[in-house]
Structure formats: structure tokens, C-alpha cells
Amino acid sequence: MTTRDERQPITCVELDEAVMAALLDGDRAGASARAGVALTDFFLTDSALWLWRYRLGQIADDPAGARWCHRIAVCAPGGAVVGHGGFHGPPDDRGMVELGYAVDPAFRRRGYARATLVELLRRAAAEPAVSTVRASVRPDNAASLATIAGFGFTEVGELWDEVDGMETLYETQLFRSSETFTKR
């Protein structure tokens, strides 16, 4: 199996309303042109289309929160689009943001989920209003549980998600560093 070179960081390209709308219209070429990267059919799956529709609704309700919506993960330097990740919205009153990510099945088990998590934690740590990051994970999702392990996430509860079913809630407190976010 090919493994990802951990020294090559991913970059995140923000999906704006025009990209998400194009994806909802099934216009992958137009969305790719707007995003500046070649999006794959992974961005047109039923779950991805649900996500773009949901994010567009959030942006319509709170345009100032748009920058907290999903971005796409791109593997540098080659630019292969490996998945998407982002936050579920702006920080709440206690400074908590919830993150989420998905990796294209063609790129799984190569460290991209972990790299996406690191990038999202870096972005959260760069925001003074954020003190806590939450991840909600289905109890049977061993890959996601392994991904968040070692980053200080502790179980804080559970909830029933209408889309994903029962999820366990994990939170970590942020520390800020100008250089990197590393495992604790």
C-alpha cells in the first residue's frame, strides 16, 4: 500500500457558496473551476450533497459564519483532492467549535484524516474566540476514534444525530502555538 509522506502537508481550499451551489447542480467541472482544484465524484455523493445543501442553508441564515463552513483538503504538492473538512459553524458562547471531515475512499488509510484534523486544529487554535474543539464520532467508527486519539480529546457525552445515529462527543482544550499543533 502507498503511504502518505508525513512531511508533505495538506492545504485547505475554502468552498464558497458558488462552489457548493455548483456541486448541488451536479456541475463538478464548474465547481472545480471555481475552487481552483479538480474535485472528484466524492463531492457529489448523497452525503456530500446533503452537506452542501445544509451548509448553504447555514450561510443563508448567518452570512458572517460562512468562513466556518467546510473547506476541501488538497494534498500538496501534487494537488490531489483527498476529501473535505471543516467546522459545523462559528464558535458558540463558550468558545467551542465542532469539526468534521471525510476522506475519499480512494485515499483512506494514508494519513489524510489525521492531516486534515491537524489542519483544522491549527485553524481553531489561530482563532482567539476558540478554546475548545469538539468531534462527534459514531462508537463503531474505529478509524475516526483512532484519528482523534492522542490529541487530548476526552469523552464528554453522547447525542443522537438524525443522519449518523448515536454519536459520542469528544472535546479537547486548545493550546496555541505559532508553529504546529502536535499530539499531546
Side-chain angles (χ1 to χ4, degrees), residues 62-74:
D62 179 17
R67 70 186 189 94
W68 288 96
C69 290
H70 276 270
R71 283 140 315 280
I72 58 173
V74 180

Side-chain angles (χ1 to χ4, degrees), residues 39-72:
L39 300 173
T40 65
D41 285 340
F42 183 65
F43 289 79
L44 296 175
T45 63
D46 288 343
S47 61
L49 293 174
W50 176 91
L51 180 63
W52 312 141
R53 189 173 298 106
Y54 186 79
R55 295 293 174 231
L56 285 172
Q58 280 185 298
I59 293 167
D61 291 344
D62 179 17
R67 70 186 189 94
W68 288 96
C69 290
H70 276 270
R71 283 140 315 280
I72 58 173

